[in-house]
Amino acid sequence: MTDRSQTPGRDDVLFAFHEACPRPTADQIIDWISRYPQFADDIRAHAAVARDWAARKGLPGEQPSETMVARAYSRALNALYKADAEAKPAEADAAQSFQDIIAARGTSVAALAREVGGTVGIGRSVLADLVNGAMRGPVGARFLDAVCRAIAITHARFYAALEMALAAPRLGLARADAAPTVNARSYEEVIRDSDMTPEQIRYWLGGD
Amino acid sequence: MDASTGEEPPPDSTDVAGWRLAITDGRFRRFPLEAIAAAIQDLRPNRDGGLINALAEHLSESVYRIVRRYVGRNHPNAGYDIVDRVHDQFFESLAQPHSADGKGIRKALVWRLQFRAKDAIAKEARDRRIPDETAVKPQKQAKQSDPPGDEAHDVELVDIDQHPDLAEEGGSSDGDETPSSKARWNPALLDGVRATDEQIDVDRFLEENIKDDQKRLAFRLFMDGLPFKSKKYDSIAKALGIDEKTARLWIEEIQKQLKNKIGDPT
């Protein structure tokens, strides 16, 4: 028996709108909204982008730098690697430390900082604090996304690795009169106390 | 060789030897991206690392450049956050051949990319949108002269006298104005705009100065000649799901900014 009650999902509707209306007119916007009122906000938002694009048509597009292209390729391979790894559940389920993950990717904290920072840049000390168990969660959304993208892990695996790092922090040199300790700071404290520029700090704390 | 197009067809997506040869002699760069994507999906189980990496490098660069073209610099981090996100999402879909996107990119890759870029931009616009104070604070001023807009694209200014809207400036807001109704508004506000040559890049102005995507859309519809509100015809209010007063305030706000940018020669 065929299910006739199947209604198209959000992506189906928006993709069809995208194909049918490259430069949506008011008439088209109203028509699509009346057909799919549950996606009205999305249709309007897509219509706004479509009109921006239509207005820009013919103008030269932005060209990315070779560095950005190279980083994108690195992440593309990571995505394929991650998919392969997730196909092996036993392997994927084993919690790994940041050091293990970084080593498995054949990268380093310095390289990771360059990857995570992108064009904005991020202090290497921030990544070092993360990896060494000197940063408490939760971390900023941009930072979380950037790190997960760079080393091809899920948010869940990020926080599992963060927990491991906090449970077994890497200690600095011991002072003569006291046992070495690691005082983990919050994400915000780590960012604010870093030597990054005010713009970088604002960016990593979530402002534009 | 395809006799109809004169182009060499790509190897079958599972033809390891064919793809290896195409990579060796560089022909793979001329093949459609859909064929490259299909080959990566179908050859991956064979795990020919070198082969997959070469195809992935080409596809990654192509995808990144395509997406970059569609994302302006008027976003956080000059748009690179969005470009990265769309690129990475593409490769996640590529790695899942049974997902909708994973299937879709084998057929119409650029359409899919455009769609995902559009969705990412729309999402970001929604996330950064803040409640519009003008929408909740009615202003009496809204009853005065309404300047019109101008034309988008290569900026041919709409003749304000012909704009269908603002006919009810006299107070009637029964919403029955039609595209042919008489315009009784004062065009003085945009005289300066008109006088300054009709090559003002309004589109660039909108992109650089009007952060709210819905306000930009309202203004573009206004430039299309749409009334703020109408019971009989399409209107800005109906298309955007806002009330007439908000539509007016948005347009006035943009017009004022536009005028300030251009300067007042009077």
Side-chain angles (χ1 to χ4, degrees), chain A residues 73 76-84, chain B residues 12-16 19-20 23 28-29 35-61 91 94-95:
Chain A
Y73 170 50
L77 288 184
N78 277 341
L80 297 176
Y81 170 90
K82 181 179 155 193
D84 283 344
Chain B
D12 186 84
S13 64
T14 55
D15 179 1
V16 180
W19 280 103
R20 204 170 278 146
I23 287 169
F28 76 106
R29 293 181 181 281
I36 307 274
I40 292 175
Q41 286 185 330
D42 294 347
L43 296 176
R44 268 179 69 230
N46 294 323
R47 296 181 192 277
D48 183 332
L51 177 60
I52 298 297
N53 288 4
L55 295 177
E57 182 174 16
H58 172 58
L59 187 61
S60 171
E61 177 170 354
F91 273 88
L94 183 72

Side-chain angles (χ1 to χ4, degrees), chain B residues 127-145:
Chain B
D127 289 350
R128 76 190 302 184
R129 204 174 300 145
I130 51 172
D132 186 356
E133 286 179 16
T134 57
V136 292
K137 258 197 260 166
Q139 295 174 8
K140 299 221 159 151
Q141 251 182 300
K143 283 278 173 194
Q144 55 182 232
S145 61

Side-chain angles (χ1 to χ4, degrees), chain B residues 6 30 38 41 52 69-70 105 108 168 198 203 209:
Chain B
R30 298 199 296 268
Q41 286 185 330
I52 298 297
R69 280 208 301 270
Y70 286 99
I105 56 185
E168 81 288 12
E198 296 191 350
D203 288 319
N209 298 279

Side-chain angles (χ1 to χ4, degrees), chain A residues 10-11 14-15 18-19 21-30 33 41-42 44-56 59 61-66 68-69 72-77 79-84 88 119-120 142 145 149 203 208, chain B residues 40 44 47 52-54 56-57 60-61 64-65 68-74 76-77 80-81 84-85 87-88 91-92 94-95 111-112 114-119 121-122 126 128-129 153 203 207 213-214 216-217 220-221 224 226 234-235 238-241:
Chain A
R10 175 189 177 276
D11 277 7
L14 292 175
F15 188 70
H18 165 67
E19 286 187 305
C21 310
R23 185 183 180 278
T25 61
D27 181 37
Q28 289 169 325
I29 296 169
I30 292 166
I33 286 173
D41 287 348
D42 285 318
R44 289 189 183 105
H46 275 237
V49 181
R51 290 297 299 256
D52 285 346
W53 285 2
R56 215 193 294 149
L59 296 177
E62 176 87 10
Q63 284 299 320
S65 69
E66 293 307 316
M68 298 304 286
V69 169
Y73 170 50
S74 165
R75 293 196 310 276
L77 288 184
L80 297 176
Y81 170 90
K82 181 179 155 193
D84 283 344
K88 302 178 210 160
T119 50
V120 176
R142 278 183 178 152
D145 284 344
R149 233 178 12 231
Y203 178 82
D208 285 353
Chain B
I40 292 175
R44 268 179 69 230
R47 296 181 192 277
I52 298 297
N53 288 4
E57 182 174 16
S60 171
E61 177 170 354
Y64 203 80
R65 290 188 185 283
R68 182 66 270 194
R69 280 208 301 270
Y70 286 99
V71 182
R73 295 183 66 84
N74 57 330
N77 193 18
Y80 275 104
D81 287 353
D84 285 353
R85 209 174 300 137
H87 167 276
D88 296 359
F91 273 88
E92 283 165 20
L94 183 72
W111 272 108
R112 282 273 153 188
Q114 284 178 344
F115 171 64
R116 286 299 167 201
K118 193 182 273 183
D119 204 33
I121 294 170
R126 212 168 40 235
R128 76 190 302 184
R129 204 174 300 145
H153 308 303
D203 288 319
E207 185 167 313
D213 63 329
Q214 295 301 291
R216 282 200 306 275
L217 178 58
R220 293 192 197 285
L221 296 180
D224 285 350
L226 233 68
D234 295 338
S235 68
K238 192 172 178 188
L240 289 173

